[in-house]
Amino acid sequence: MTTPDGPGAVFRPTHVVPPDGLPAWEAPDTTRPTTALDAFLPVRLLSRSGEWGEVLCANGWSAWVDGRLLVAVPQPPPTGGRPVAPAEDPGPLLSAAAEALDRYRRAVRDLAADPADTGAFREAVRGLRAGIVIDGGSVWLYDAPAERWTYADGSRLAPYAVVSGPGTPPAPQPQDPQPRDSGGPAPGAGPAEAAHDPTRVVDPPPPEPGGR
């Protein structure tokens, strides 16, 4: 068990587990499996060792997973308490995200009507890229042409993060996903550089005498 922030600290996740869940290990070693992580579970990434990632759950339990499969949670930009400097109107990106979602929805509907026509589905969504996260008054929008994430507080938009450094060639188109076996993806073999104590699930507190 790992509790780096001490008791009473606010748990701030940095990632969530992907929709299929994730196998987990007590150490960066495929011979030491432990309880798998549920889909969409919020976790905090503590460290990396090659393809491995050490994550902490809200209950204080930690484990090692394939860090490449974790889904990052956008964090508020470090404005130091100052208002975000205005940059541009978020309206066009909101409209683009809505159009991309509608296009994907139509493709899914057509595939449901004709499940065998997977080729038409792939063609309908080819090149489609969109991203939006809404948390109360905050919104993070993906600007596909500029390959960057932007942040808005309900009014003006400001750059948040870029996908790649300046002058980086465009990334290759993703290939069709390979089928996964029942054991899930296993990260690269080999022990980590530093040893870690085995992790364990936190036991619930014993019931109080006379409790219901």
Side-chain angles (χ1 to χ4, degrees):
M1 183 179 68
T2 305
T3 52
D5 295 330
V10 177
F11 178 74
R12 299 186 182 278
T14 60
H15 295 74
V16 294
V17 175
D20 292 335
L22 275 182
W25 291 265
E26 294 183 340
D29 182 349
T30 56
T31 65
R32 300 175 62 183
T34 186
T35 305
L37 300 184
D38 293 334
F40 303 113
L41 179 71
V43 296
R44 179 176 175 182
L45 183 63
L46 299 177
S47 63
R48 287 187 181 272
S49 178
E51 297 172 346
W52 295 90
E54 184 185 16
V55 296
L56 176 71
C57 301
N59 65 352
W61 183 69
S62 64
W64 290 83
V65 299
D66 187 338
R68 299 169 298 176
L69 301 179
L70 292 171
V71 181
V73 175
Q75 302 295 318
T79 59
R82 300 184 303 274
V84 177
E88 52 191 282
D89 180 8
L93 283 184
L94 288 169
S95 298
E99 292 171 3
L101 179 61
D102 186 59
R103 175 179 162 187
Y104 192 86
R105 184 188 296 113
R106 291 197 304 268
V108 169
R109 182 186 59 206
D110 294 343
L111 182 62
D114 186 5
D117 196 3
T118 57
F121 173 77
R122 292 194 182 95
E123 185 63 29
V125 298
R126 184 183 303 277
L128 186 63
R129 302 183 70 189
I132 180 170
V133 177
I134 300 176
D135 183 9
S138 299
V139 62
W140 291 262
L141 291 161
Y142 182 63
D143 184 353
E147 294 191 334
R148 64 175 183 174
W149 280 91
T150 56
Y151 170 83
D153 57 1
S155 56
R156 306 297 292 180
L157 202 66
Y160 172 65
V162 295
V163 176
S164 58
T168 304
Q173 292 295 323
Q175 302 297 319
D176 290 340
Q178 297 297 321
R180 293 167 54 184
D181 57 28
S182 59
E193 297 178 358
H196 293 265
D197 294 332
T199 55
R200 64 180 186 274
V201 177
V202 178
D203 295 327
E208 298 180 0
R212 296 180 181 179

